[in-house]
Amino acid sequence: MADNHLVNSLEKENCQFKKILAIQKRIGSERQLDRLMPLIISEISELLDAERTTIFLIDWERMELQAKFAEGIVEQEITIKLKMGIVGWAVLSKQEISISNASDHPYFNPEIDQLHDFKTESILVAPIINKQGEVLGALELINKDTGVFTEHDLEMTRQDAAKLGLEDNLQNIAAGRIEQMIDCLVRNASCQRGSLFLIDADSGQLMSVFAHGLDGSAISLSLNLGVAGLVAVSGKVINILDSATDSRFDQKIDQLTGFETKTILGLPIRNYLDEVIGVIEIINKCNDSFSGEDIEIMDGLSSMVAITMDNALMLAEQERQFRSIIEVMAASIDAKDTLTAGHSTQVTHYAVEIARELGFGESDLDVIGVAGLLHDYGKLGIDDQILKKPGRLSDREYSQIKEHVTLTRSILGKMRFARKYRNVPIIAAAHHELLDGSGYDSGILGREIPFMAKIITVADVFEALTSKRHYRQAMPKDEALALIEKDSGCKYDAKVIKALKNYLAKLQVNSQ
Ligand SMILES: [Fe+2]
């Protein structure tokens, strides 16, 4: 009896697994965002038997939630105040909520139902949270066909919401999720081992991202060797029924690892351009060879891996593209004056090292790096005659020089700085503000100046003092530091100066 129950529950789990894989495959083959979102919504509705599924995205500037795609009412975009209703509660508290009778709930906002002539009964909401823990929006399911959403529905919705908020990178994939995927695959296909290889475009080899039996160490395989290489080159599924007699299997691999390979199933992983980017391999089906059903499951999984890889590669490419634009912008400031060339790069170097001393994480170091490179961008709009003037500046000329900060703010304000970089224009434009309010161009006081700007200020002054200028010679580093320290806590932040001092001391020790 107990065994029967176990078999039934395993079968149910396996059936659900295949259903999810089939959905993943359908979603995976759609790369157009406008078509992808409604597809995700209808698939979730179908899987969880909900009448309506909606994805809400937050507009922080307006403090509103916008329903991007609401099935059945696609034409109308719903906008609701963030602080209102059940979705607002889930977003602000970062918690899931499941309600069986919505109209009795104190947070329920009946206006949307009235507007669309709809009756909400049961409701399930999960916040969409990215890797940094920031809430991006919420996934809402309405009216379960049985009347009440279950714990299982809650878990599935939570997972879907997590997928929508995913911003993975290659390290994350290698460290966790791929391993879980392969484990799941091996369990479901009742086999001994599973591996995932990706083609390294530089070396032209297959690199292992995860492989059972390797204890985390990576291996590389030549593309013209073994089953994995053959799958990668041919782009075809290869099913080895008996490795001992099949010449496509390279016996050396078993000799090297001491493992006995009997059966192998290898599948190519394709990106959205239909190019092969890697191979999934599973080994030794228990008491059998791999079946057509195994191939089907593997196919679904390989499309999941492909989406994850594509996302990671695209994000990395976007970041590279963004950095190259920023570097070109910084170089264009340098091109204006050969004597101050390298100033932006050097200020960035000091600012990043100060921030590192202060314990900033890599993500914040990236932001300081970009703000540092662009802090003087407004100098492009200042007259060369004034910028390069060897002698003392008149009051009028000095006030013109000061305008470079205003220009930095207005030019960078027109650029789109996404996500973590959104405060770059504010940080960059505050690099001449001082703690006592005597700085420019806003003259704001210490507590109003962004801390990252305080770091760039000290890095900027230190770099300027220790470099040759049209009107003076370069100052030795210890003298420059002593001069800045005179204004510690008054004009410049004391913690920032201390961090610069620590960095310079380390630099000196290392150079000895
Ligand atoms: Fe400046």
Side-chain angles (χ1 to χ4, degrees):
M1 188 70 184
D3 275 357
N4 265 348
H5 180 72
L6 186 67
V7 169
N8 283 342
S9 104
L10 278 175
E11 268 177 12
K12 204 173 153 194
E13 197 181 295
N14 210 19
C15 181
Q16 187 83 335
F17 178 72
K18 282 181 198 160
K19 213 168 159 184
I20 294 170
L21 275 184
I23 291 174
Q24 289 275 11
K25 197 163 184 245
R26 283 200 291 278
I27 292 174
S29 53
E30 181 55 74
R31 307 285 169 151
Q32 295 290 324
L33 195 63
D34 54 343
R35 291 202 296 258
L36 181 64
M37 297 291 256
L39 187 62
I40 291 174
I41 286 166
S42 68
E43 296 286 7
I44 295 171
S45 290
E46 198 186 312
L47 185 69
L48 298 180
D49 302 315
E51 192 178 347
R52 179 179 286 178
T53 302
T54 311
I55 296 174
F56 287 91
L57 296 178
I58 304 175
D59 182 340
W60 284 112
E61 275 171 27
R62 296 170 179 220
M63 287 295 279
E64 283 175 351
L65 282 165
Q66 287 176 343
K68 288 291 177 192
F69 300 93
E71 206 185 1
I73 43 171
V74 182
E75 300 304 315
Q76 288 162 294
E77 192 174 274
I78 303 173
T79 303
I80 50 173
K81 287 282 160 213
L82 186 56
K83 285 184 180 170
M84 279 174 67
I86 293 166
V87 181
W89 182 87
V91 163
L92 293 173
S93 67
K94 290 191 185 180
Q95 286 179 50
E96 298 92 8
I97 184 167
S98 175
I99 299 161
S100 55
N101 194 353
S103 54
D104 282 353
H105 199 276
Y107 297 149
F108 182 67
N109 174 14
E111 280 173 32
I112 298 164
D113 272 9
Q114 286 158 14
L115 210 66
H116 301 284
D117 195 22
F118 187 82
K119 174 100 176 84
T120 300
E121 284 163 7
S122 53
I123 187 165
L124 177 62
V125 185
I128 300 170
I129 299 171
N130 69 7
K131 283 267 174 202
Q132 285 74 43
E134 300 158 345
V135 191
L136 307 176
L139 183 59
E140 181 199 53
L141 276 79
I142 292 175
N143 293 357
K144 173 85 176 175
D145 64 349
T146 54
V148 186
F149 286 102
T150 63
E151 269 298 312
H152 177 254
D153 294 334
L154 183 65
E155 182 51 35
M156 299 292 289
T157 312
R158 193 182 285 145
Q159 283 178 21
D160 283 320
K163 265 180 230 153
L164 289 168
L166 223 58
E167 284 175 39
D168 266 326
N169 56 34
L170 287 167
Q171 281 84 5
N172 285 336
I173 295 167
R177 287 183 354 105
I178 293 289
E179 191 173 333
Q180 285 163 13
M181 282 185 196
I182 304 289
D183 274 344
C184 185
L185 171 75
V186 164
R187 226 179 25 250
N188 275 274
S190 305
C191 65
Q192 265 185 309
R193 284 184 169 182
S195 331
L196 169 74
F197 297 94
L198 290 176
I199 299 174
D200 178 24
D202 294 332
S203 66
Q205 290 205 312
L206 279 170
M207 310 294 289
S208 66
V209 174
F210 174 76
H212 281 126
L214 280 182
D215 300 325
S217 52
I219 56 164
S220 59
L221 300 172
S222 170
L223 274 175
N224 53 16
L225 274 179
V227 177
L230 213 54
V231 172
V233 173
S234 68
K236 293 203 168 82
V237 176
I238 293 184
N239 191 2
I240 305 277
L241 305 177
D242 181 8
S243 66
T245 56
D246 200 313
S247 62
R248 292 173 294 180
F249 176 68
D250 184 4
Q251 306 287 344
K252 271 188 262 149
I253 294 175
D254 275 7
Q255 287 161 15
L256 216 66
T257 58
F259 182 78
E260 194 193 344
T261 305
K262 292 170 192 153
T263 52
I264 309 172
L265 179 61
L267 261 102
I269 302 167
R270 292 176 186 277
N271 66 8
Y272 69 104
L273 294 172
D274 211 29
E275 298 161 343
V276 178
I277 56 166
V279 173
I280 291 188
E281 216 179 48
I282 50 175
I283 297 171
N284 291 1
K285 173 93 177 172
C286 294
N287 309 319
D288 205 353
S289 51
F290 290 104
S291 63
E293 196 184 4
D294 291 328
I295 295 177
E296 212 178 290
I297 292 177
M298 288 272 283
D299 206 23
L301 257 173
S302 70
S303 69
M304 275 168 67
V305 173
I307 299 166
T308 320
M309 292 310 305
D310 268 358
N311 286 346
L313 294 170
M314 258 188 293
L315 271 177
E317 185 54 38
Q318 260 178 24
E319 182 75 23
R320 269 199 299 275
Q321 211 170 43
F322 174 71
R323 298 296 302 203
S324 71
I325 292 171
I326 301 302
E327 276 157 24
V328 169
M329 287 172 76
S332 65
I333 316 167
D334 285 354
K336 228 171 134 67
D337 186 353
T338 45
L339 198 66
T340 55
H343 168 73
S344 304
T345 316
Q346 199 52 33
V347 168
T348 304
H349 169 76
Y350 286 131
V352 167
E353 292 308 326
I354 291 170
R356 210 189 296 277
E357 281 293 325
L358 289 164
F360 280 50
E362 285 303 318
S363 177
D364 287 332
L365 295 184
D366 287 344
V367 178
I368 292 188
V370 170
L373 282 173
L374 300 179
H375 75 282
D376 270 346
Y377 196 69
K379 279 193 176 165
L380 279 179
I382 306 296
D383 190 346
D384 269 11
Q385 302 278 321
I386 304 172
L387 279 180
K388 294 180 186 174
K389 186 173 171 180
R392 236 183 92 83
L393 295 173
S394 70
D395 287 350
R396 196 169 154 270
E397 286 165 336
Y398 187 51
S399 60
Q400 269 180 278
I401 287 261
K402 282 177 171 181
E403 269 178 35
H404 80 276
V405 185
T406 323
L407 284 170
T408 295
R409 182 187 295 105
S410 67
I411 298 169
L412 298 188
K414 289 188 183 87
M415 274 179 70
R416 174 160 167 71
F417 287 94
R419 291 191 283 243
K420 67 181 180 185
Y421 297 111
R422 64 181 175 271
N423 287 329
V424 161
I426 301 168
I427 298 163
H431 77 272
H432 284 294
E433 302 293 353
L434 299 168
L435 294 190
D436 58 6
S438 64
Y440 62 91
D441 60 341
S442 305
I444 46 176
L445 283 164
R447 63 180 178 281
E448 298 161 326
I449 306 169
F451 193 76
M452 286 189 186
K454 292 176 187 171
I455 294 177
I456 296 174
T457 305
V458 170
D460 184 31
V461 174
F462 183 74
E463 204 289 323
L465 288 173
T466 53
S467 304
K468 190 177 181 303
R469 286 290 179 266
H470 291 285
Y471 45 91
R472 60 158 172 76
Q473 290 303 310
M475 192 183 275
K477 283 180 179 170
D478 49 350
E479 273 180 44
L481 191 62
L483 194 64
I484 295 172
E485 271 186 311
K486 280 186 188 168
D487 288 316
S488 173
C490 164
K491 284 185 164 48
Y492 311 119
D493 189 284
K495 290 189 288 299
V496 174
I497 295 177
K498 193 158 178 279
L500 172 64
K501 210 171 167 178
N502 288 347
Y503 166 67
L504 292 171
K506 278 185 197 167
L507 206 64
Q508 205 165 21
V509 170
N510 289 341
S511 66
Q512 276 167 3

